[in-house]
């Protein structure tokens, strides 16, 4: 018979193994064929990302990266509504109010995971079916392949809650064509379905109902190269006829977006919008006027600087900004207004763009010494 200690070890080992396939776990990690599969499993919370999930996903990606029998990594969400609707903002808010370490640890480890995805040596395929916002964008956009469906709903809505489009937004947003990225970052505009592909955020478009077949075909590939995986994704992509003939939702506005959102400062962008006076411009003014003035200024500078930085330098910059937001007022007020009380009437401090000084903004970008993010 096993000695008590050994028996405990066996039980613990069994629990550890079953945790990964336990349907109540927040993340399911499994190896099927040549594929490592990450399944975000908080359907009731729209698969919002928690720190324990990050702490399971990161080492698993690193392990699969080194494993000669793993040829690709697939990430997806359960529940049919969302890939991942964002980070667990409620938990971060609660932590910030009581000075808990989570406000440092969450962003540090989330951005470290974003970088692991961006530098992953194995082809990384994100099936972004359903809501993909904030932290969910960070889990997908830096990988090799992003497969959108007609159910995909993409947005970076952070300026509405006193944050900024983080998780590497400062890297990928300014690299989209024209000023689309600046427009998406400042207004939180939502892209749907095929438009996520047309904006350059997704690499492929596949009908939602075809994803299980696609996944099975990916798993069945024998020692595939990145090209083999691309070929398979392309073969599904060309067969997807959903919304095929539709014009890109921003097509008719692209000229205006490119000129109006090219201002060097938020004040200049607002001036341009007012001068333009078209229905489109007026609508953007209305949207921007609801956002945190501090967030708008941080986001604009974040994207302008991020345009010429490496992903690692962007994430280091964003970590500094995240900690500035945790020290500030608007994040807690934004979360209160949008997620907790849901009165949608945040009282921003400062309340006007003109009151957010350059000195204050500069301070948010300052290095944190020993507390800086090290990638």
């Amino acid at each position: 018979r096993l000695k008590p200690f050994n028996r405990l070890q066996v039980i613990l080992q069994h629990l550890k193994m079953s945790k990964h396939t336990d349907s109540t776990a927040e993340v399911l990690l499994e190896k099927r064929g040549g594929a490592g599969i990450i399944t975000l499993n908080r359907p009731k919370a729209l698969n919002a990302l928690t720190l324990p999930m990050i702490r399971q996903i990161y080492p698993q990606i690193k392990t699969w990266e080194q494993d000669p029998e793993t040829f690709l990594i697939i990430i997806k969400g359960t529940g049919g509504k969302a890939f991942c609707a964002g980070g667990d903002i409620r938990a971060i808010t609660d932590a910030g109010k009581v000075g808990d370490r989570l406000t440092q640890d969450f962003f540090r480890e989330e951005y470290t995971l974003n970088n692991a995805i961006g530098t992953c040596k194995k082809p990384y395929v994100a099936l972004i079916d359903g809501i993909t916002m904030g932290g969910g964008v960070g889990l997908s956009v830096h990988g090799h392949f992003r497969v959108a469906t007609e159910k995909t709903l993409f947005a970076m809505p952070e300026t509405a809650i006193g944050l900024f489009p983080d998780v590497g937004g400062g890297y990928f947003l300014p690299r989209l064509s024209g000023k689309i990225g600046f427009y998406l970052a400042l207004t939180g505009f939502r892209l749907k379905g095929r438009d996520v592909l047309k904006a350059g955020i997704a690499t492929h478009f596949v009908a939602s109902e075809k994803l299980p077949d696609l996944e099975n075909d990916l798993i069945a590939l024998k020692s595939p190269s990145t090209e083999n995986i691309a070929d398979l994704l392309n073969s599904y992509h060309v067969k997807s006829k959903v919304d095929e003939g539709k014009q890109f939702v921003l097509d008719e506005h692209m000229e205006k977006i490119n000129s109006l959102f090219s201002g060097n400062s938020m004040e200049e962008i607002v001036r341009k919008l007012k001068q333009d006076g078209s229905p489109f411009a007026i609508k953007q003014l209305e949207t921007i006027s609801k956002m945190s003035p501090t967030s708008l200024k941080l986001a604009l500078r974040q994207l302008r600087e991020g345009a010429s930085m490496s992903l690692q330098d962007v994430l280091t910059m964003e970590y500094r900004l995240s900690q500035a937001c945790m020290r500030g007022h608007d994040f807690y007020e934004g979360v209160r207004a949008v997620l907790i009380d849901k009165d949608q009437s945040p009282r921003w401090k400062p309340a006007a763009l003109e009151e957010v000084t350059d000195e204050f903004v500069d301070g948010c970008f300052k290095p944190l010494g020993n507390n800086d993010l090290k990638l």
Side-chain angles (χ1 to χ4, degrees):
R1 278 179 56 196
L2 288 170
K3 293 197 177 110
F5 177 68
N6 284 0
R7 196 162 70 224
L8 182 64
Q9 264 191 317
V10 170
I11 292 168
L12 284 173
Q13 190 56 37
H14 176 71
L15 281 172
K16 205 171 160 193
M17 289 307 294
S18 66
K19 185 179 79 185
H20 285 212
T21 49
D22 165 16
S23 62
T24 59
E26 292 189 327
V27 160
L28 311 175
L29 301 163
E30 52 180 334
K31 181 78 193 304
R32 288 175 59 201
I37 301 175
I38 303 164
T39 307
L40 309 174
N41 189 39
R42 298 182 68 215
K44 289 195 178 73
L46 299 176
N47 298 323
L49 188 64
T50 65
L51 187 57
M53 290 163 79
I54 293 167
R55 286 178 172 169
Q56 287 181 65
I57 296 168
Y58 176 79
Q60 187 63 74
I61 287 177
K62 288 296 178 191
T63 304
W64 281 332
E65 207 171 17
Q66 298 305 316
D67 174 26
E69 297 302 304
T70 302
F71 298 97
L72 74 153
I73 296 171
I74 298 171
I75 186 166
K76 60 180 182 169
T78 51
K81 281 195 182 144
F83 165 67
C84 170
D88 190 0
I89 295 290
R90 289 291 284 269
I92 299 164
T93 311
D94 294 344
K97 285 178 187 162
V98 296
D100 185 279
R101 278 198 54 107
L102 181 70
T103 54
Q104 295 163 47
D105 295 345
F106 184 89
F107 291 103
R108 187 184 296 278
E109 295 183 44
E110 182 183 28
Y111 297 177
T112 304
L113 173 56
N114 299 150
N115 184 54
I117 293 166
T119 57
C120 189
K121 293 181 184 70
K122 299 285 165 83
Y124 182 96
V125 184
L127 305 177
I128 53 171
D129 190 32
I131 301 166
T132 305
M133 295 185 185
V137 176
L139 289 178
S140 53
V141 79
H142 304 297
H144 301 83
F145 302 110
R146 286 90 62 192
V147 182
T149 75
E150 71 279 8
K151 295 201 289 190
T152 306
L153 180 61
F154 165 96
M156 293 299 275
E158 288 82 5
T159 55
I161 56 162
L163 212 52
F164 58 96
D166 66 333
V167 297
Y171 182 80
F172 84 87
L173 288 165
R175 284 168 173 77
L176 298 176
S177 69
K179 292 287 173 186
I180 289 184
F182 288 79
Y183 172 67
L184 295 173
L186 298 172
T187 65
F189 185 80
R190 298 174 167 205
L191 291 168
K192 295 180 182 142
R194 230 177 241 277
D195 287 334
V196 180
L197 172 79
K198 290 177 179 162
I201 292 150
T203 57
H204 295 81
F205 180 90
V206 173
S208 181
E209 60 173 28
K210 293 289 183 210
L211 288 184
D213 295 342
L214 172 61
E215 196 184 322
N216 288 333
D217 285 347
L218 284 168
I219 290 162
L221 289 172
K222 295 278 174 273
S223 349
S225 63
T226 306
E227 289 70 39
N228 299 146
I229 293 162
D231 288 344
L232 178 62
L233 291 170
N234 289 336
S235 73
Y236 271 83
H237 173 84
V238 297
K239 286 188 209 125
S240 293
K241 302 299 179 209
V242 192
D243 296 340
E244 201 176 27
K246 269 199 184 158
Q247 190 189 16
F248 178 43
V249 66
L250 295 175
D251 245 2
E252 56 181 313
H253 304 302
M254 269 327 295
E255 234 174 287
K256 283 206 189 298
I257 287 172
N258 291 341
S259 65
L260 299 173
F261 285 85
S262 63
N264 296 330
S265 67
M266 273 316 300
E267 287 89 343
E268 193 186 330
I269 290 173
V270 166
R271 243 193 336 272
K272 281 172 174 264
L273 288 167
K274 282 181 177 158
Q275 279 166 356
D276 183 273
S278 65
F280 176 76
I282 291 163
K283 198 173 164 198
Q284 305 324 309
L285 270 174
E286 270 171 33
T287 302
I288 284 173
S289 70
K290 295 191 178 96
M291 304 304 187
S292 154
T294 302
S295 291
L296 290 168
K297 287 209 167 173
L298 293 182
L300 181 60
R301 176 157 160 195
Q302 169 206 0
L303 265 62
R304 286 172 59 85
E305 297 202 1
S308 58
M309 290 163 100
S310 68
L311 175 61
Q312 291 70 38
D313 288 344
V314 165
L315 290 166
T316 302
M317 166 179 73
E318 291 180 357
Y319 183 70
R320 293 167 185 167
L321 293 178
S322 76
Q323 297 311 291
C325 291
M326 293 304 104
R327 294 191 299 269
H329 164 274
D330 279 6
F331 170 67
Y332 302 99
E333 174 59 13
V335 171
R336 179 205 67 73
V338 176
L339 299 177
I340 298 172
D341 299 341
K342 299 191 173 152
D343 57 29
Q344 311 299 330
S345 307
R347 291 181 284 282
W348 305 123
K349 281 186 202 161
L353 283 170
E354 296 67 38
E355 294 165 29
V356 184
T357 65
D358 292 346
E359 291 73 40
F360 175 80
V361 173
D362 289 343
C364 296
F365 283 82
K366 280 208 167 68
L368 300 171
N370 287 335
N371 291 326
D372 254 334
L373 176 66
K374 292 164 194 75
L375 294 171

